[in-house]
Amino acid sequence: MSMIGKLVAQRLALGLLTLFVVSLIIFLCVELLPGNLAQEILGQAATPETVAAFNRELGLDLPPHERYIAWLLDMTKGDFGRSLASQREISELLGMRVQNTFFLATLAAVIAIPLAVTLGILAALYRDSWYDRIVNVVTLTSISFPEFFVAYILIIVLAVNLGIFPSISNISEDLGFWEKVYRSALPALTLTLVVVAHMMRMTRAAIINLLASPYIEMARLKGLKPGRIILKHALPNALAPIINVVVLNLAYLVVGVVLVEVVFVYPGLGQLFVDSVSKRDIPVVQACSLIFAMTYVLLNLLADVLSIMSNPRLLHPR
Amino acid sequence: MKNINELTYLAKNSRITRRDFMAKASALGVTAAVASTVWAGSAKAAPKKGGKFRYGASHGNTTDTLDPGTFNNGGIIHQGFGMRNHLSEVDNDGSLVPDLAEGWEASDDASEWVFTLRKGVEFHNGKTLDANDVIASMNHHRGKDTKSAAKPLLAPVTELRADGKNKVVFKLAGGSADFPYTVSDYHLAIMPADKEGKVDWRSGVGTGGYIKQSFEPGVRATYKRNPNYFKAGRAHFDEVEFLTITDVVARTTALSTGEVDAMSRCDLKTVHLLKRRKGVKVEEVTGTLHYTIPMHTDVAPFDNNDVRLALKYAIDREALLQIILKGHGVVGNDHPISTANRYHAGDLPQRKYDLDKAKFHLKKAGLSSLSVNLSAADAAFVGAVDAAVLYKEQAAKAGININVVREPSDGYWSNVWLKKPWSMVYWGGRPTEDMMFSQSLAEGADWNESHFSHKRFNELLVKARAELDEAKRRAMYVEMQTIVNQVGGTVVPLFANYVFAMSDKVHHDPKMAGNWDMDGDKAMERWWFG
């Protein structure tokens, strides 16, 4: 286990470095965009004097490196700072949205992962049958359409025509858990349709890959049932690639949902991120991208740790 | 209260309660029986109180704040009107009526205005409105350090002082007959002042019909009716829930499935389908919103009026109206005054797509062909790039080669508008001719987008501003529209309608305001459930 401890510590240190580089790149990119916060907020009504007054008050007239260093110093003290546009504490601004984003990702994952793995195992089991083909065609079709299109189809069928679910996710803090689940159902279903194919195909491929190996043939010759061969003999050895794909998709569920948030008016991080970029609200952009980057770093680490733990050869190296 | 007609008008527009109506009618010498009949005849559609109004707004950002100086989209403007009042108000029929001021008077040259405040109006926090609040609210937009977009509006104000607790005096650099209109602007909301004379905008406390309960910018906000609201016959809903739904499809389905009761900005491509949906009604108002294509009149080749005329004749407005707006608008006549304005020059011949005239003026300018760049981005208005490309095709037939330069939407207003010699622009429109002309065409104005400089025009602008005689003013404004139409540097192809929809349970006055979307952005205050 000490090996894993060492790996985790090493990766976390590297992760911190990654976060630093990410924040630097994001800062530079936003600086390179035309226009600044004052101009974007005042829009057509911007005059040189009002823009100057804006910049003075928010310290935007300082050179970029000074602003970046000031931000970095606050960050090391764990202070996200304040939004330039609204002067609200960023931690307060993020709180509810981070929760919402992770809630939606979890909900989608809870539906998608068991579904994808089961479909994948069954597809491997009945490979080249009609069932296999239908599952493949359906999941590949749903991943091939753009997300917003899948979302609109679900809205038309489930919200407008059948009236089962609400067409927009009007979520607020005071809602009960099940009410939240109900209102997030359509975005969660959309995300499920988008990520299932990838995980299902990987499960199927990883298992089929193993079915040709000698020990599986041995099991078959012993007269074991196909279901038992796949679940007890093939699956444990196929776990590493499956875990990798599942975790990558989890990361996608957190960071790639901007379109789905827009279509369902879901108050998550994506909308905040887009608005902040378009208004050049750098501290908020930084905070959001750090959360996204952190999600990737941590989930990748999790994938590696789980892969190692699922593989005795890596867990107990000679 | 001058006469029974005015009283009837108030009753018709639900601006007065029955009790007030009867009292005032008897004061005018009308017998109770007659007054009662008049009341019943005029106030048939008396609005009902109650219900929770859920509004799906097309605009709103997570970066929005409650500072009226930086309001920049219809979503937050609407909420501002719900929470706060102004000295004056543009009514739903386009006329200017008292709001927090019960009246105003001008000096003879219209350079000094005295506003008398309504007595006993309370803010949501219980503070009573007085002159200091008004002064602090105005000063929020004045001075060196203001971040307010309304700074140019108040630039002519040289002195601002209180005259007792209930009177505020504005001294202006020159005469301005329309100054009471200026103070109805959505930026100039009245907020409570603290001891240092600063306004408190963060709390959202105002005198308005709705009290803020929660406010999550760009997502949702909730409001409760102000039980002490001073305005009779307004603010009918018990509660308002304000949702920002920027995606037009999401907004439309939310209305169709009953998730919201009203929405702004319908999708013009599919609005004919929405009209067929049961339980939904679509409304349309022609207002002051218009699109302009300003040329810098001091830059070649636009410094030649024949080139400008050639370009004005080379655009097919009818085709643009059908393609870009799907017919939801009216064609422009190369001046910025709308049919919704008071002094619109209706007799001025409408400029048409005329290739012969375009060629004639091109020849007169000594050119056989012309090649010009036109900067466009969808930041200017939705469909601006398409409109520019259509214009290119239309003008090509007259031997004019328009090279459409696609600019980034980001920073468009700072880097392209006013900087590039020819670009696509939109104007939200202003309630008065004076505001529109002073901001977009007056010499030396910050936003004189065509670098227009015309002696007679500028003289008329100052004269008309201080003129209190209606007929003389009209003549002057018509002449100004003619000048801009003939020698101005701006192509004004289209006035766009406001197209919005609501559940058929929602009712409103027969006439809706055209100064902003959604009944002057006062749906929250003016509409009710039937």
Side-chain angles (χ1 to χ4, degrees):
Chain A
M1 277 321 259
S2 71
M3 185 201 70
I4 287 191
K6 210 172 129 198
L7 177 97
V8 169
Q10 215 172 34
R11 287 300 200 76
L12 284 179
L14 274 175
L16 273 181
L17 187 68
T18 314
L19 292 186
F20 169 71
V21 175
V22 165
S23 77
L24 196 61
I25 293 175
I26 298 281
F27 183 83
L28 288 176
C29 288
V30 178
E31 279 294 308
L32 284 178
L33 289 173
N36 71 8
L37 179 98
Q39 292 172 338
E40 293 303 324
I41 286 193
L42 292 169
Q44 202 180 5
T47 61
E49 301 97 73
T50 40
V51 168
F54 235 109
N55 290 345
R56 263 202 312 280
E57 186 178 314
L58 300 175
L60 288 174
D61 47 353
L62 297 174
H65 62 272
E66 279 184 34
R67 277 182 285 136
Y68 180 74
I69 290 170
W71 174 82
L72 197 63
L73 287 177
D74 283 347
M75 222 28 228
T76 52
K77 287 179 225 143
D79 179 8
F80 273 107
R82 282 171 185 274
S83 151
L84 291 178
S86 63
Q87 294 298 315
R88 284 171 70 190
E89 287 282 350
I90 290 178
S91 45
E92 172 206 322
L93 204 61
L94 289 179
M96 188 62 197
R97 286 168 185 276
V98 172
Q99 270 183 42
N100 285 344
T101 293
F102 281 92
F103 177 76
L104 180 59
T106 314
L107 188 60
V110 165
I111 306 172
I113 296 173
L115 184 70
V117 173
T118 314
L119 288 177
I121 292 173
L122 290 175
L125 189 57
Y126 302 110
R127 132 172 84 131
D128 298 331
S129 68
W130 275 106
Y131 162 80
D132 184 23
R133 279 181 204 150
I134 289 172
V135 167
N136 270 309
V137 168
V138 170
T139 52
L140 283 178
T141 312
S142 68
I143 202 180
S144 307
F145 284 124
E147 290 158 327
F148 62 89
F149 183 76
V150 175
Y152 288 153
I153 298 280
L154 288 181
I155 290 180
I156 266 284
V157 176
L158 295 178
V160 178
N161 290 342
L162 298 177
I164 303 176
F165 294 113
S167 68
I168 53 171
S169 304
N170 186 1
I171 304 261
S172 61
E173 265 169 272
D174 44 353
L175 287 179
F177 175 77
W178 290 109
E179 184 65 23
K180 256 190 186 175
V181 170
Y182 170 68
R183 295 197 184 184
S184 317
L186 284 186
L189 280 181
T190 310
L191 288 174
T192 302
L193 286 175
V194 172
V195 296
V196 149
H198 199 187
M199 294 190 282
M200 186 286 273
R201 300 273 300 172
M202 198 48 156
T203 310
R204 178 179 179 276
I207 291 176
I208 287 178
N209 207 12
L210 286 171
L211 289 184
S213 40
Y215 81 95
I216 297 287
E217 201 155 342
M218 178 68 203
R220 210 177 294 144
L221 290 175
K222 279 196 297 189
L224 292 182
K225 282 184 188 147
R228 192 176 157 82
I229 292 175
I230 284 180
L231 285 179
K232 287 267 169 178
H233 297 254
L235 190 58
N237 282 314
L239 271 181
I242 297 177
I243 286 171
N244 265 312
V245 145
V246 165
V247 171
L248 269 183
N249 275 293
L250 278 183
Y252 175 80
L253 288 178
V254 175
V255 306
V257 296
V258 174
L259 279 178
V260 173
E261 280 186 11
V262 169
V263 172
F264 292 103
V265 204
Y266 190 89
L269 276 179
Q271 184 206 9
L272 179 71
F273 192 47
V274 171
D275 274 0
S276 308
V277 172
S278 68
K279 289 286 184 297
R280 314 283 184 271
D281 196 342
I282 295 185
V284 183
V285 176
Q286 296 276 48
C288 289
S289 27
L290 285 188
I291 290 177
F292 290 154
M294 211 142 63
T295 310
Y296 254 102
V297 169
L298 290 180
L299 283 175
N300 266 313
L301 177 60
L302 181 72
D304 285 352
V305 171
L306 286 179
S307 304
I308 291 172
M309 294 195 9
S310 71
N311 189 336
R313 269 176 302 186
L314 291 176
L315 197 57
H316 309 288
R318 266 185 284 183
Chain B
M1 208 52 62
K2 289 200 193 76
N3 54 38
I4 189 74
N5 288 340
E6 200 168 323
L7 209 49
T8 314
Y9 163 79
L10 288 177
K12 265 187 187 148
N13 289 282
S14 323
R15 301 298 300 273
I16 188 167
T17 59
R18 186 174 190 278
R19 178 191 293 241
D20 280 352
F21 180 84
M22 298 300 280
K24 283 180 172 141
S26 72
L28 287 166
V30 180
T31 64
V34 172
S36 184
T37 325
V38 173
W39 169 261
S42 349
K44 253 181 202 145
K48 264 180 23 195
K49 288 219 177 298
K52 179 176 179 182
F53 180 59
R54 295 157 306 161
Y55 170 25
S58 55
H59 286 68
N61 300 313
T62 49
T63 44
D64 287 341
T65 68
L66 292 173
D67 179 357
T70 58
F71 280 5
N72 61 5
N73 64 72
I76 192 72
I77 290 171
H78 206 116
Q79 297 177 65
F81 277 137
M83 284 180 274
R84 299 165 180 149
N85 292 94
H86 298 64
L87 286 178
S88 62
E89 174 186 2
V90 176
D91 208 353
N92 51 316
D93 64 358
S95 58
L96 192 73
V97 297
D99 198 0
L100 280 179
E102 58 182 24
W104 44 80
E105 266 168 48
S107 60
D108 289 342
D109 62 351
S111 73
E112 191 176 298
W113 286 87
V114 183
F115 288 79
T116 309
L117 302 182
R118 218 175 268 274
K119 285 182 196 79
V121 175
E122 271 183 17
F123 285 101
H124 301 155
N125 61 5
K127 182 182 187 305
T128 306
L129 171 82
D130 64 35
N132 287 332
D133 300 312
V134 175
I135 289 173
S137 299
M138 294 295 157
N139 283 339
H140 182 61
H141 310 275
R142 301 172 72 218
K144 187 166 95 27
D145 286 324
T146 181
K147 300 191 296 180
S148 171
K151 188 178 177 184
L153 280 182
L154 292 180
V157 177
T158 51
E159 195 194 324
L160 182 60
R161 64 185 155 82
D163 177 7
K165 267 189 113 95
N166 288 310
K167 276 194 165 79
V168 180
V169 184
F170 291 80
K171 243 186 137 124
L172 310 180
S176 173
D178 284 336
F179 188 71
Y181 273 96
T182 304
V183 292
S184 75
D185 183 88
Y186 64 83
H187 296 102
L188 307 180
I190 306 303
M191 298 170 282
D194 62 14
K195 285 187 191 87
E196 285 99 59
K198 293 261 178 240
V199 284
D200 162 32
W201 56 261
R202 282 170 211 280
S203 62
V205 165
T207 51
Y210 289 92
I211 303 172
K212 184 191 85 176
Q213 303 292 306
S214 70
F215 179 73
E216 183 59 41
V219 183
R220 65 209 297 273
T222 49
Y223 297 90
K224 252 206 172 101
R225 187 175 53 218
N226 175 4
N228 298 326
Y229 194 35
F230 69 87
K231 212 183 282 182
R234 288 294 191 220
H236 307 291
F237 304 114
D238 285 339
E239 281 176 83
V240 175
E241 181 172 16
F242 204 95
L243 294 170
T244 304
I245 311 180
T246 46
D247 185 55
V248 68
V249 181
R251 207 155 65 236
T252 314
T253 46
L255 180 68
S256 313
T257 56
E259 293 283 312
V260 296
D261 302 305
M263 66 178 270
S264 56
R265 305 231 181 165
C266 297
D267 185 357
L268 299 181
K269 293 188 194 89
T270 58
V271 71
H272 60 286
L273 299 172
L274 184 63
K275 276 181 188 162
R276 284 194 221 147
R277 179 120 190 146
K278 256 200 189 141
V280 169
K281 53 183 179 182
V282 176
E283 306 280 0
E284 195 161 335
V285 178
T286 302
T288 49
L289 171 69
H290 62 279
Y291 305 151
T292 66
I293 321 179
M295 317 168 216
H296 286 184
T297 52
D298 50 358
V299 174
F302 306 120
D303 52 353
N304 185 330
N305 191 41
D306 281 304
V307 169
R308 305 203 290 262
L309 281 171
L311 288 169
K312 287 176 182 175
Y313 279 114
I315 187 166
D316 188 348
R317 296 148 211 262
E318 286 295 339
L320 286 179
L321 176 62
Q322 292 313 321
I323 297 168
I324 302 293
L325 295 178
K326 307 281 169 205
H328 298 282
V330 288
V331 293
N333 200 13
D334 296 332
H335 63 71
I337 303 307
S338 145
T339 48
N341 284 105
R342 277 178 299 169
Y343 306 115
H344 175 253
D347 296 336
L348 194 62
Q350 172 64 45
R351 184 161 284 137
K352 295 210 161 64
Y353 182 44
D354 192 330
L355 291 174
D356 290 333
K357 280 194 180 151
K359 282 181 196 153
F360 166 78
H361 285 289
L362 210 53
K363 211 169 148 198
K364 217 173 137 199
L367 298 165
S368 57
S369 71
L370 174 67
S371 192
V372 279
N373 286 347
L374 172 57
S375 298
D378 275 352
F381 54 89
V382 178
V385 177
D386 296 343
V389 174
L390 285 168
Y391 190 4
K392 173 195 168 83
E393 296 299 322
Q394 293 159 357
K397 291 182 189 137
I400 300 171
N401 174 28
I402 296 178
N403 177 29
V404 178
V405 184
R406 195 163 181 169
E407 305 279 359
S409 277
D410 286 318
Y412 186 81
W413 300 112
S414 303
N415 304 327
V416 179
W417 183 55
L418 302 176
K419 304 275 192 315
K420 296 286 163 80
W422 204 25
S423 58
M424 309 287 277
V425 181
Y426 91 96
W427 282 85
R430 305 292 184 266
T432 67
E433 286 73 6
D434 180 53
M435 280 162 87
M436 196 64 233
F437 283 144
S438 312
Q439 288 180 16
S440 72
L441 290 157
E443 182 149 28
D446 281 331
W447 301 325
N448 182 345
E449 51 183 5
S450 57
H451 298 184
F452 188 56
S453 159
H454 191 280
K455 202 160 158 257
R456 173 79 183 147
F457 179 89
N458 288 311
E459 277 169 21
L460 281 171
L461 183 64
V462 178
K463 258 169 84 181
R465 189 181 291 154
E467 180 61 64
L468 293 168
D469 182 288
E470 282 282 311
K472 281 188 194 155
R473 273 192 106 188
R474 163 170 288 280
M476 284 191 258
Y477 281 129
V478 167
E479 187 184 342
M480 287 165 80
Q481 288 168 60
T482 315
I483 292 172
V484 178
N485 170 280
Q486 306 290 342
V487 299
T490 312
V491 185
V492 184
L494 297 171
F495 280 79
N497 285 355
Y498 294 115
V499 184
F500 45 92
M502 64 195 83
S503 137
D504 60 3
K505 289 195 233 52
V506 178
H507 291 239
H508 53 77
D509 290 328
K511 191 157 165 37
M512 282 186 283
N515 53 339
W516 296 104
D517 207 350
M518 299 295 278
D519 204 352
D521 267 328
K522 290 201 171 185
M524 206 166 150
E525 161 161 326
R526 289 178 179 164
W527 298 356
W528 65 93
F529 283 123

